Amino acid sequence: MTTALPKWFTPLRLLGIFCLTNLVVYLDRGLIASNGVNGTPRTEADPDGSGIQGEFDLNYVEDGLLPALFMVGLLISSPIFAETVKHYSAFRLLGIGMAVWSASVVACGIAPNFGLLLTARAFVGVGEASFVALAAPFIDDFAPAAQKARWFAAFYLCIPVGFALGYIVGGAVTAVASWRWAFVGEGLVMVPFTLFALTAQPLQLRGSKPAGAPHHRHHRGATGWQHWRALLREFGGDVAIVLRQRVWLAVCGAYTAYVAVLGVYAYWGPQAGAALFFPRHEGDTGPRSSTADLTFGGVTVLTGVVGSVAGGLALDKMGSTLRNANLLCAFANLVGFVFLLLAFTTSQTFAAFMGLFAVGQLIIFLLQAPVAAIGMWCVPPELRPLGASLMTVSIHLLGDVPSPPLVGLLQQRLAAGKSPADAAEQWRISLSVVSLLLLVSGSLFLLGAWLSVPGTDWRGKAPANQEQGSEEGDGVGGEEGLGGVAAEGGPDVRPLLLEEGGAGRQRSSDEPLISDK
């Protein structure tokens, strides 16, 4: 028994709403990393500094805590949203999460001290966790089956574009007003989506309860500690199922190393470029660092759009298999590393640096759509939010939570006691060292490709609890949506069948699920 689709819904309209929301979410990430908003520390040449660093008198390590605390809030909350979706409406949870996001972003703009700013950044992560856990499974449910990689590409290209717009908006706002207004403005921009998600007829995500549906039957009649113990047991069982997927484990490790590098580029890249090629002298004001912000922003937009779209198109063309997706990700990391290392070690002008950096960044952005597709397809479908959330916990807890402060510490140690010019040159070493993780990432994606051949591609599985229909609250994601399996009792090991030709033949995970014919 299926759940009726809301009147406002069309697949392209849903994609457009989610892309705009993702753009604003990642604009916030670029905003706080921009030279205009993040600013510069106080020095003898510039005793007041600028932006957040100058106003709160932060060193590099303290400044690196801002993205770290944000990620702490996100990684704690993401699995909670993912598991809660089995009992409550996914669309309503999106609205609640983004309401928290909007309020917390505005709080960043009015924070009177660094401690409250850190707290507000943690709650920004709490709000964003809902979107991180739930948006991609919605797209997987409703994207046309033969174009899923392209739809993921459209969604994930908003990450680099959002970052880049954050750099640009940060520089533009702080050229005419305080850095605080940048946060207040982006918080208000998110209000329309928040109100829509909280009040519109909700869309049903497979594996999620419809709005107003009763609790899961296993928890009916349970009270107090029994209720929470049942929820924790259910959560532990779901986590165990995800962790038994070997392809997921390999990809999770690879993506963690990749995100650690990307987090450093996003946070320290504009400042490194400004320090290397636009050194500040006594009496200098903002335009030089603004040049770095605008250039990094423009290059990130271009490479993000082209790389993400090209990766999605390439995977659809190659055949959307787990093995092909892993091989494409491995290629992106290993080849992109070469150009990025050349940018950091050989470039003597800003134009040469940005040229090599742009090529390397474009290549590593090829993996945005394939890695999202792998995450959706290598776990049981109704555990997609949990699989995505656990991967989010890993890539941030072990990736871009520690990497910005650690690279900040490395740069601080390397630059200690050196002249400003020599200190700036140490950014070449710091960025080259962290880029070595791309080799680790590429190797793990190759392992994922090898494991994918005997692995399970879960896209064709029918949900075991679909027969319960509205009683269990499992809606169907429309005509193009593909099913899931029940979390309880472990993975369903029934063979996947080809949709065309060869009925009864087991499908290898190296064969496309949907024919291009």
Side-chain angles (χ1 to χ4, degrees):
M1 191 173 171
T2 62
T3 301
L5 295 172
K7 293 180 180 180
W8 62 263
F9 170 81
T10 67
L12 283 175
R13 186 174 296 163
L14 178 73
L15 180 64
I17 291 171
F18 280 176
C19 284
L20 287 174
T21 304
N22 206 27
L23 197 68
V24 177
V25 163
Y26 279 91
L27 182 146
D28 173 74
R29 307 271 196 104
L31 191 76
I32 198 169
S34 69
N35 283 305
V37 171
N38 190 259
T40 56
R42 300 176 187 179
T43 63
E44 292 184 4
D46 186 11
D48 293 329
S50 64
I52 292 172
Q53 289 191 67
E55 182 162 339
F56 297 118
D57 191 19
L58 307 180
N59 59 37
Y60 283 131
V61 176
E62 291 171 329
D63 193 35
L65 290 175
L66 286 170
L69 264 291
F70 163 85
M71 292 300 178
V72 168
L74 188 147
L75 66 88
I76 291 175
S77 304
S78 185
I80 295 175
F81 277 107
E83 191 69 8
T84 303
V85 79
K86 295 171 64 179
H87 308 289
Y88 296 95
S89 166
F91 213 70
R92 292 289 185 256
L93 289 173
L94 279 174
I96 293 170
M98 298 321 294
V100 173
W101 187 93
S102 296
S104 302
V105 165
V106 172
C108 292
I110 61 176
N113 56 58
F114 184 56
L116 290 178
L117 179 61
L118 281 176
T119 302
R121 290 309 295 173
F123 276 95
V124 172
V126 170
E128 186 177 320
S130 66
F131 196 72
V132 167
L134 303 177
F138 268 115
I139 292 173
D140 192 42
D141 272 353
F142 296 103
Q147 301 175 18
K148 284 185 183 289
R150 275 168 275 187
W151 279 50
F152 280 126
F155 179 70
Y156 283 100
L157 70 81
C158 296
I159 294 178
V161 173
F163 262 116
L165 288 177
Y167 297 151
I168 295 169
V169 170
V173 170
T174 54
V176 297
S178 168
W179 59 268
R180 297 177 179 274
W181 286 106
F183 288 113
V184 174
E186 67 172 355
L188 295 177
V189 167
M190 187 64 75
V191 169
F193 172 77
T194 300
L195 294 176
F196 176 75
L198 288 173
T199 61
Q201 182 183 356
L203 184 66
Q204 177 61 16
L205 176 68
R206 183 160 303 192
S208 161
K209 286 283 186 183
H215 263 320
H216 197 285
R217 64 181 179 182
H218 296 292
H219 307 309
R220 291 172 191 163
T223 58
W225 170 242
Q226 288 182 333
H227 173 73
W228 290 106
R229 185 170 58 182
L231 288 174
L232 289 173
R233 187 185 306 117
E234 181 183 359
F235 176 73
D238 291 344
V239 171
I241 292 172
V242 172
L243 295 182
R244 285 202 294 269
Q245 315 305 314
R246 294 185 300 168
V247 175
W248 185 91
L249 288 173
V251 170
C252 186
Y255 200 24
T256 298
Y258 169 84
V259 169
V261 177
L262 211 62
V264 170
Y265 292 170
Y267 199 75
W268 293 120
Q271 294 193 45
L276 283 166
F277 302 105
F278 301 97
R280 293 178 64 87
H281 303 289
E282 187 172 357
D284 279 353
T285 52
R288 295 186 179 215
S289 61
S290 295
T291 300
D293 273 348
L294 291 171
T295 305
F296 267 87
V299 166
T300 302
V301 167
L302 180 62
T303 58
V305 170
V306 175
S308 298
V309 172
L313 291 172
L315 181 56
D316 282 337
K317 185 69 175 177
M318 293 166 63
S320 294
T321 68
L322 290 179
R323 185 187 185 203
N324 286 345
N326 274 286
L327 289 174
L328 184 55
C329 291
F331 167 85
N333 276 294
L334 299 176
V335 177
F337 166 78
V338 175
F339 287 92
L340 291 165
L341 188 65
L342 289 173
F344 302 140
T345 57
T346 67
S347 57
Q348 298 302 314
T349 66
F350 187 61
F353 172 77
M354 288 308 304
L356 288 167
F357 185 79
V359 173
Q361 192 168 236
L362 185 149
I363 294 172
I364 64 174
F365 278 142
L366 290 173
L367 67 75
Q368 292 287 353
V371 77
I374 298 169
M376 294 296 101
W377 302 339
C378 70
V379 298
E382 65 181 20
L383 296 185
R384 291 169 303 166
L386 183 60
S389 296
L390 292 176
M391 193 171 292
T392 297
V393 169
S394 175
I395 66 177
H396 295 312
L397 181 64
L398 302 177
D400 58 2
V401 164
S403 63
L406 286 176
V407 170
L409 178 61
L410 174 62
Q411 175 63 18
Q412 189 169 292
R413 294 281 181 87
L414 292 173
K418 294 182 172 61
S419 67
D422 288 339
E425 287 294 317
Q426 305 311 305
W427 279 114
R428 298 182 185 274
I429 298 175
S430 299
L431 294 178
S432 296
V433 168
V434 76
S435 297
L436 293 172
L437 288 175
L438 292 175
L439 298 180
V440 176
S441 180
S443 300
L444 288 173
F445 275 122
L446 289 176
L447 175 62
W450 180 71
L451 292 172
S452 293
V453 177
T456 301
D457 187 327
W458 294 90
R459 280 174 287 173
K461 298 293 185 180
N465 58 356
Q466 191 170 346
E467 296 177 359
Q468 278 80 18
S470 59
E471 179 188 353
E472 289 302 299
D474 291 313
V476 179
E479 190 176 43
E480 299 287 1
L482 295 172
V485 296
E488 297 171 10
D492 187 344
V493 295
R494 292 171 294 174
L496 283 166
L497 303 181
L498 286 173
E499 293 193 355
E500 297 181 16
R505 179 165 64 89
Q506 184 169 0
R507 189 183 67 81
S508 166
S509 66
D510 196 33
E511 295 180 79
L513 182 68
I514 303 297
S515 172
D516 290 333
K517 298 180 181 178

